[in-house]
Amino acid sequence: MTNTRPILYLSRLLPDPVMAIVRERFQLVQEPLDALPAPSALREGLSQADAAIVTLGDPIDAETIRVATRLKILANYAVGYNNIDLAAARQCGLIVTNTPDVLTDATADLTWALLLATARRVVEGDTLVRSGKWTGWSPTQLLGAEVTGKTLGIIGMGRIGQAVAQRAVGFRMRVRYHTRQSLATPSFPHEWEHRSLRDILEEADIVTIHTPLTPATHHLIGAHELAWMRPTAFVINTARGSIIDERALVDALKTGIIAGAGLDVYEQEPAPHQMLAQLKQVVLLPHIGSATLHARVQMGLVCLKNIHAVLEGRPAPNHVH
Ligand code: DGY
């Protein structure tokens, strides 16, 4: 009996419920591992497949796309797609899709976890208790920054930026946002006020970044921009590391230009600037914004939905242009 199931290349192992569907409906080029493939393995895998699911750590450049001659769809297992040369994909007629919506809440929740952990020194507290050196309650111990009632500056007001803003209501925060796109956003509550990038940085007690990484947002926050922030302010980044100039951030933290940072993403993953780990006013997470079982399963299902559509000759619901 011939195997007529389409051939799928998976660059990484996905959560079990997704793998179960994948195994039932596709032939796999090879068993995926829980590790990034080498660039040569990635190319080889993509060149054999009708469809592929890749992750944000897989750099899909023009040459990789060029050799993937039978590939019809590249489903990126992420909402961000800065890892893919979209122009090259378009030129080769390769459809690229992403996974919006299903990870919005998970990422907004994690942003708040990081924000609170940074402002309230949660990780330092955990480390102290585990060390066995905690001597008991003290009026002056681990004093953090008040969050309630402060000003939250949001850079990038797409789905995730808005979800973060909605969560600020319970903290009675003033929401100020910056977006490069249309200022006409009648659907936003009137209390959310648009500001220039500079005004956001000058006004906010906490700045949180939710813009995609593009050539225009690469190092959007550098030494100049950090200098506009208050010395008591924090910056939180759950978007993409390269939106902040990491070296400038380290300098700003070391010299007290800003008070602290909560980072889930880095310029070079998995190798953040080595000084970051030495600064106690910084909370570092390993890019887990969307890491709930629910979100990660839904992301897989969105990839599969797009793949089925394209292989059946229908438009991909999440085609990125
Ligand atoms: C995304 O989807 O872009 C996230 O960074 C992955 O969690």
Side-chain angles (χ1 to χ4, degrees):
M1 207 172 83
T2 53
N3 196 338
T4 54
R5 289 176 299 169
I7 301 175
L8 180 73
Y9 173 70
L10 260 187
S11 73
R12 300 295 287 264
L13 191 66
L14 300 179
D16 287 347
V18 184
M19 289 308 303
I21 302 174
V22 161
R23 292 187 207 289
E24 188 189 307
R25 302 198 188 152
F26 296 91
Q27 294 178 67
L28 284 173
V29 170
Q30 66 196 34
E31 264 309 305
L33 302 173
D34 191 15
L36 269 186
S40 55
L42 178 67
R43 259 181 210 185
E44 175 61 24
L46 290 172
S47 72
Q48 294 178 43
D50 301 309
I53 301 180
V54 293
T55 68
L56 56 94
D58 299 315
I60 313 287
D61 57 15
E63 179 55 18
T64 305
I65 290 171
R66 201 185 56 75
V67 295
T69 47
R70 65 180 286 168
L71 193 66
K72 295 187 182 60
I73 166 166
L74 192 59
N76 208 37
Y77 185 77
V79 66
Y81 42 84
N82 52 290
N83 54 313
I84 300 173
D85 185 334
L86 271 195
R90 199 176 307 121
Q91 223 169 38
C92 294
L94 174 63
I95 291 171
V96 175
T97 64
N98 70 342
T99 62
D101 299 316
V102 292
L103 47 65
T104 300
D105 286 328
T107 308
D109 291 349
L110 195 276
T111 301
W112 274 93
L114 193 49
L115 186 164
L116 290 167
T118 307
R120 297 301 304 274
R121 307 177 64 177
V122 169
V123 178
E124 283 179 83
D126 179 85
T127 306
L128 178 63
V129 176
R130 284 172 198 267
S131 73
K133 293 186 188 144
W134 183 41
T135 52
W137 188 89
S138 150
T140 57
Q141 192 171 62
L142 287 179
L143 302 183
E146 193 84 12
V147 169
T148 298
K150 294 297 176 76
T151 300
L152 181 65
I154 304 181
I155 298 176
M157 206 53 165
R159 300 173 189 85
I160 297 172
Q162 291 175 53
V164 168
Q166 281 155 2
R167 285 155 175 75
V169 174
F171 291 88
R172 302 193 302 279
M173 294 183 88
R174 285 175 293 280
V175 170
R176 306 289 180 255
Y177 68 92
H178 177 71
T179 170
R180 285 161 303 120
Q181 276 149 15
S182 156
L183 304 187
T185 41
S187 59
F188 288 1
H190 66 89
E191 311 80 29
W192 300 357
E193 295 180 14
H194 185 270
R195 292 283 189 276
S196 69
L197 180 63
R198 181 167 184 154
D199 285 351
I200 287 270
L201 294 168
E202 287 180 349
E203 248 182 83
D205 298 294
I206 297 159
V207 172
T208 181
I209 296 175
H210 301 287
T211 188
L213 174 62
T214 66
T217 63
H218 182 265
H219 285 189
L220 181 69
I221 307 297
H224 261 90
E225 291 73 19
L226 290 161
W228 291 335
M229 290 178 67
R230 300 170 175 211
T232 50
F234 297 89
V235 64
I236 307 297
N237 190 5
T238 57
R240 284 292 182 270
S242 300
I243 297 167
I244 301 184
D245 178 342
E246 213 163 270
R247 185 188 295 234
L249 176 64
V250 166
D251 288 344
L253 289 161
K254 274 171 49 187
T255 54
I257 285 175
I258 65 168
L263 306 175
D264 185 42
V265 289
Y266 307 92
E267 287 213 54
Q268 299 294 331
E269 296 184 7
H273 189 296
Q274 56 193 19
M275 269 307 295
L276 285 171
Q278 292 171 41
L279 299 173
K280 64 177 174 36
Q281 68 275 43
V282 175
V283 176
L284 304 173
L285 295 180
H287 202 151
I288 53 169
S290 66
T292 65
L293 178 61
H294 176 78
R296 290 284 169 86
V297 169
Q298 294 306 313
M299 287 162 69
L301 298 183
V302 169
C303 289
L304 293 174
K305 197 162 150 189
N306 280 289
I307 289 172
H308 285 306
V310 170
L311 295 184
E312 286 161 13
R314 289 179 285 115
N318 306 105
H319 190 177
V320 292
H321 298 281

